Amino acid sequence: MADSYIRKFSPNIKHIIAFVLLIMSVIMLFSGLHRALRVMGRLDSVAFVFDGEIDDLKENDSILLHEKLVRARLKGAANDTELSCGTEHNQKYEIFVINFYGYRFAAVETGSDEYDKLLGGEDVTGYFSYKYSRNFRDRISTMPQYFEPDTVIPESKCSDLGLIIVDRERELRSWMWCLPFLIVGLIMLKTGGSPFFYFPEDKIENVL
């Protein structure tokens, strides 16, 4: 009579690494798709008609922006400068102020092409976010102490829903970042062989 076998699941180190890489690729894929979809249907501020639509804007809506940065003048200074709310993430992002249907923040990665475009008043893509609203509010609340009165922004005209400026083309391609993890994970899964092995049932009975 043919021996009976019981299938056992016993992954090796390659299987475990492959599993981790595949999980990471799935997470990166969904994150990338979210980022791509977020900027895919961006509004155009030039064609934006104020008819109550601004009240319909919500977090993660994206827009093609043509606004110049708000400028203010420090007490005793001769010239106005771009109003900054400081930096975040080890100075990776600088937070400026724009006037787009109310004053709101515009955060951009320092040293990037978008940084130069924003300062130069060129077209940039941004998505709405509340991420740096606290930085923005803190700066607005302290303006009377440090800035000339005629350049101080009224808090009543400010919105907590600001913008994070991004590279649209990079955002659209961000889902592709999962591919190296996916490819390496599949290769390791294949080279690791089957994660199952078959054990004779009679040997298990003898052990028991």
Side-chain angles (χ1 to χ4, degrees), residues 30-39 170-172 174 177:
F30 281 100
S31 174
L33 288 174
H34 169 71
R35 293 174 62 171
L37 291 171
R38 183 170 56 192
V39 299
R170 186 173 64 181
E171 295 295 294
L172 290 174
S174 59
W177 297 346

Side-chain angles (χ1 to χ4, degrees), residues 27-174:
I27 293 172
M28 295 179 72
L29 172 62
F30 281 100
S31 174
L33 288 174
H34 169 71
R35 293 174 62 171
L37 291 171
R38 183 170 56 192
V39 299
M40 194 174 293
R42 63 181 179 180
L43 301 168
D44 190 331
S45 61
V46 170
F48 193 86
V49 179
F50 183 68
D51 187 21
E53 296 178 54
I54 191 68
D55 296 328
D56 297 328
L57 289 176
K58 58 185 182 298
E59 196 168 15
N60 290 321
D61 283 346
S62 61
I63 194 165
L64 177 65
L65 199 66
H66 309 266
E67 306 300 314
K68 291 184 177 180
L69 297 177
V70 170
R71 298 171 66 87
R73 188 171 63 261
L74 287 165
K75 289 183 176 179
N79 301 312
D80 295 351
T81 57
E82 286 83 9
L83 180 57
S84 174
C85 305
T87 59
E88 280 287 343
H89 307 299
N90 294 323
Q91 299 185 343
K92 183 178 181 181
Y93 287 90
E94 186 163 4
I95 307 162
F96 294 103
V97 179
I98 60 172
N99 186 6
F100 178 70
Y101 297 102
Y103 296 96
R104 58 188 76 233
F105 72 80
V108 63
E109 186 175 350
T110 56
S112 65
D113 290 341
E114 284 65 41
Y115 185 92
D116 295 333
K117 290 178 182 178
L118 183 65
L119 266 67
E122 300 179 43
D123 293 352
V124 291
T125 295
Y127 65 88
F128 288 94
S129 171
Y130 292 101
K131 189 170 186 178
Y132 301 113
S133 58
R134 182 172 180 177
N135 304 64
F136 171 60
R137 287 289 182 177
D138 287 347
R139 167 56 81 187
I140 298 302
S141 65
T142 59
M143 281 192 75
Q145 303 175 41
Y146 304 106
F147 292 88
E148 294 292 350
D150 61 317
T151 62
V152 171
I153 296 173
E155 292 190 57
S156 60
K157 294 184 179 180
C158 296
S159 172
D160 289 329
L161 186 61
L163 283 159
I164 296 180
I165 308 303
V166 294
D167 180 339
R168 185 169 187 260
E169 295 304 316
R170 186 173 64 181
E171 295 295 294
L172 290 174
R173 297 191 304 266
S174 59

